[in-house]
Amino acid sequence: MTDHESQLTQLLQDVRSGGIEARGKLFDQVYGELRAVASRAMMQERADHTLTPTALVHEAYCRLAGTDDEWDENRAFFFQAYTTAMRRVLVDYARRRNALKRGGGCEREPLSTVVAPANEGVEDVDLVALDAALNQLTERDPTAAQVVEMRYFGGLTFEETAASLGISPSAAKRDWAFAKMWLQKAMQG
């Protein structure tokens, strides 16, 4: 474990024991990493999106800090929980945008463009449909759903995803391939 990871683990333990100051220190320590994850996630969004990476970091962190979930166990749990919070923020924004458009009228995208890593620059994804399909996938295969969440919403590499989930990179790739096929079927019908 690196010195940075051990400091983060200690801060997470301080947060768990009720240290209010620890939350602020934690945010200061991981802000750069969270900002990078948010930037990668926002690269997938439409060009005229009103949410900035900075705002996404803050909104997701506020949602995470306001939960009773046990995200403060270790670094991997923290980043999994953060990625989930970021997904929820983006989906909520998409739902509001669709509601403003009288039901949305969003067209479904082929899964090859919908479920792609952040660096492929996908835009105008129907996040509401993807979120619903991911919720169904979570019931069937939670790990595969987490791989999609971390790759798509977090923009993480296979290696980063595997490390966060405690699986091998090859397992992450297998889960990714399965999830893409499964989500494609779920979103088409």
Side-chain angles (χ1 to χ4, degrees), residues 11 16 28 34 36 38 43 62 65 79 85-86 88 94 96 109 116 118 122 127 129 146 151 181:
L11 282 172
R16 175 172 262 194
D28 290 344
L34 297 179
M43 286 178 6
C62 286
F79 279 96
M86 192 167 52
R88 303 252 182 265
R96 282 193 295 261
E109 298 284 335
V122 178
L127 290 178
Q146 286 179 313
R151 296 258 310 135
M181 289 187 300

Side-chain angles (χ1 to χ4, degrees), residues 23-73:
R23 285 185 188 263
K25 288 179 184 177
L26 173 67
F27 187 70
D28 290 344
Q29 183 169 350
V30 297
Y31 180 79
E33 290 178 78
L34 297 179
R35 178 76 167 68
V37 169
S39 292
R40 289 190 301 248
M42 291 306 295
M43 286 178 6
Q44 300 177 125
E45 296 297 319
R46 63 187 196 287
D48 64 340
H49 202 291
T50 58
L51 191 64
T52 65
T54 300
L56 180 56
V57 167
H58 289 273
E59 284 202 38
Y61 192 82
C62 286
R63 286 185 186 204
L64 184 62
T67 67
D68 291 332
D69 297 341
E70 294 194 13
W71 54 265
D72 52 358
E73 187 170 319

